[in-house]
Amino acid sequence: MGFNCGIVGLPNVGKSTLFNALTSAKAEAANYPFCTIDPNVGIVQVPDPRLDKIASLIKPQKIIPTAIEFVDIAGLVEGASKGEGLGNQFLGHIRQTDAIIHVVRCFDDPNIIHVSGSVNPERDIDIVNTELLLADLETVEKRYAKIEKVAKMTADAKQKVEASCLKKLLDAIRAGKPARTVSLNDEEKTIGNELHLITQKPVLYLANVDEAGMKTKNDWVKQVEKRAAEENNVVVQICGALESEISQLPPEERADFLIEMGVEEPGLHRLIRAGYKLINLITYFTAGVQEVRAWTIVDGTKAPQAAAVIHTDFEKGFIRAETYNCQDLFKLQSEAAIKEKGLYRSEGKEYVVKDGDVLFFRFNV
């Protein structure tokens, strides 16, 4: 089960620099548009202090964090929905992601070309959002043109549901509203998901500032926050250039550097966790003397499906899940103490796994 966030924005806003810092990869970053053509893909560990805390008490041979995938996608320009720039490639790649991290330039630097000639976050956001809406509009219009007349003449309930779904989406997108704002019933959601609409995906704005703007909110960041508030979206403020520096330091030097900068952790940790939460993901753990490991599931997943993340046989032969929450372990310091307090539970197939659960699956295949 893989989950990914697509990093998007106009050319030269700092997408590839941030991707390099995130993954400690070496995606080419240069001062001209379309430096990134094919998407760079990187698997990033999700920072979770609970994992180390569990390991300190269980004392395993190995510690294995969970991970999320980030995809650095080519810069988009006005007219991308009509094929301008690398529009078709951009839109094709972004359709395959689970969520969008929209990087917005909130710094001025005469040495770094801005594709529109000046820094203006609201204008830049509008350009990207408009192109995504236009791409979705084309998709929905084509599908609706095929089903509209048929739905009026048929008694087929599925085709009528499809027409209803498409009409709702079409009306919203024509009004400039993203697909994720449209209220659909369960049947319509199934059809909507088949469309892979870009504006259906959750969005997080990343305000990329320079070092001087790290600890304050400049007017450009405030513009991004205002827009995000209007859209009920989240903003993470990061200095991409500084994060890139941190990522290149030896691990043993990073802590001292962060102390000098007066911050507790790299800003990228906040971004990774925000991206994780954006896709509605939670973490459960398995813990034993061989390994303590974190696993990713969608919030609301039941125990058998959570077990399938480890191995499909665990779901097929699921008997029960033995579980406790990691917070009880931190408080009581051992599994034995958890059992003594009656907090070690046996749960069945209908149990909905909670964030921070430590699970041991009983199964028979």
Side-chain angles (χ1 to χ4, degrees):
M1 186 186 298
F3 300 95
N4 58 31
C5 293
I7 303 175
V8 307
L10 296 177
N12 288 356
V13 297
K15 299 186 312 302
S16 295
T17 299
L18 284 160
F19 178 83
N20 288 343
L22 271 169
T23 62
S24 295
K26 296 294 183 291
E28 187 179 4
N31 184 22
Y32 55 90
F34 311 126
C35 176
T36 303
I37 299 175
D38 294 324
N40 296 295
V41 178
I43 306 297
V44 180
Q45 292 182 358
V46 177
D48 193 332
R50 298 174 300 178
L51 187 65
D52 290 327
K53 284 186 181 180
I54 294 170
S56 71
L57 296 166
I58 301 295
K59 302 190 186 311
Q61 296 173 19
K62 290 191 295 184
I63 303 172
I64 305 175
T66 190
I68 188 170
E69 187 175 274
F70 284 85
V71 185
D72 175 28
I73 298 170
L76 177 147
V77 294
E78 194 166 2
S81 60
K82 304 300 181 185
E84 290 297 320
L86 295 167
N88 292 332
Q89 291 184 50
F90 174 99
L91 297 169
H93 292 142
I94 198 173
R95 287 189 195 281
Q96 298 167 27
T97 63
D98 297 303
I100 296 170
I101 294 177
H102 183 166
V103 182
V104 184
R105 180 168 165 175
C106 294
F107 67 90
D108 194 16
D109 186 337
N111 297 315
I112 300 177
I113 300 165
H114 190 293
V115 71
S116 298
S118 63
V119 178
N120 186 328
E122 287 192 284
R123 177 204 59 211
D124 295 353
I125 289 171
D126 284 339
I127 289 172
V128 172
N129 287 350
T130 297
E131 293 306 321
L132 301 185
L133 281 166
L134 288 171
D136 280 353
L137 179 62
E138 183 179 6
T139 298
V140 177
E141 282 182 336
K142 284 182 179 178
R143 183 87 170 252
Y144 188 61
K146 293 179 180 178
I147 194 71
E148 181 184 13
K149 292 181 181 178
V150 176
K152 289 179 181 178
M153 300 171 61
T154 184
D156 189 312
K158 185 176 180 180
Q159 289 186 323
K160 289 186 177 295
V161 169
E162 181 177 350
S164 170
C165 169
L166 291 169
K167 184 64 166 63
K168 288 180 181 179
L169 290 168
L170 192 57
D171 289 346
I173 294 170
R174 282 175 173 169
K177 298 177 182 178
R180 60 182 168 274
T181 65
V182 179
S183 179
L184 302 174
N185 62 36
D186 290 342
E187 288 180 297
E188 290 169 339
K189 283 179 183 176
T190 300
I191 293 167
N193 290 339
E194 292 172 358
L195 297 171
H196 300 290
L197 298 178
I198 301 170
T199 64
Q200 184 68 49
K201 303 176 190 299
V203 173
L204 178 152
Y205 287 113
L206 192 154
N208 189 18
V209 300
D210 58 18
E211 195 169 329
M214 270 183 54
K215 296 180 181 179
T216 60
K217 292 180 181 178
N218 62 36
D219 289 341
W220 292 319
V221 173
K222 290 175 183 176
Q223 285 181 33
V224 179
E225 289 186 332
K226 179 176 178 291
R227 176 60 61 85
E230 292 169 355
E231 299 174 356
N232 197 29
N233 287 332
V234 176
V235 179
V236 175
Q237 180 177 331
I238 282 179
C239 173
L242 185 65
E243 296 295 330
S244 183
E245 280 185 49
I246 294 171
S247 70
Q248 301 304 314
L249 290 173
E252 63 273 14
E253 294 180 18
R254 291 178 190 174
D256 290 339
F257 185 81
L258 291 171
I259 291 171
E260 286 179 23
M261 298 303 300
V263 294
E264 294 182 0
E265 63 176 353
L268 291 177
H269 285 192
R270 290 185 287 110
L271 174 62
I272 293 166
R273 286 196 296 267
Y276 196 74
K277 187 176 180 181
L278 187 67
I279 314 175
N280 199 29
L281 303 179
I282 62 171
T283 299
Y284 78 84
F285 304 95
T286 52
V289 293
Q290 289 189 333
E291 69 176 33
V292 167
R293 183 165 183 165
W295 303 89
T296 297
I297 55 173
V298 175
D299 195 7
T301 300
K302 293 182 179 179
Q305 289 70 51
V309 176
I310 300 175
H311 198 289
T312 53
D313 284 350
F314 283 28
E315 179 181 13
K316 292 175 185 175
F318 181 89
I319 299 173
R320 66 180 183 276
E322 296 174 2
T323 183
Y324 59 88
N325 196 272
C326 66
Q327 297 301 328
D328 294 325
L329 179 63
F330 303 154
K331 182 179 178 180
L332 299 172
Q333 297 290 292
S334 72
E335 288 187 355
I338 289 171
K339 290 176 181 178
E340 285 177 14
K341 290 286 186 179
L343 298 172
Y344 193 96
R345 312 184 312 277
S346 180
E347 301 286 357
K349 292 182 178 180
E350 294 304 308
Y351 177 67
V352 177
V353 176
K354 308 295 189 301
D355 185 49
D357 276 355
V358 180
L359 293 163
F360 180 79
F361 295 108
R362 299 286 184 182
F363 69 101
N364 183 22
V365 177

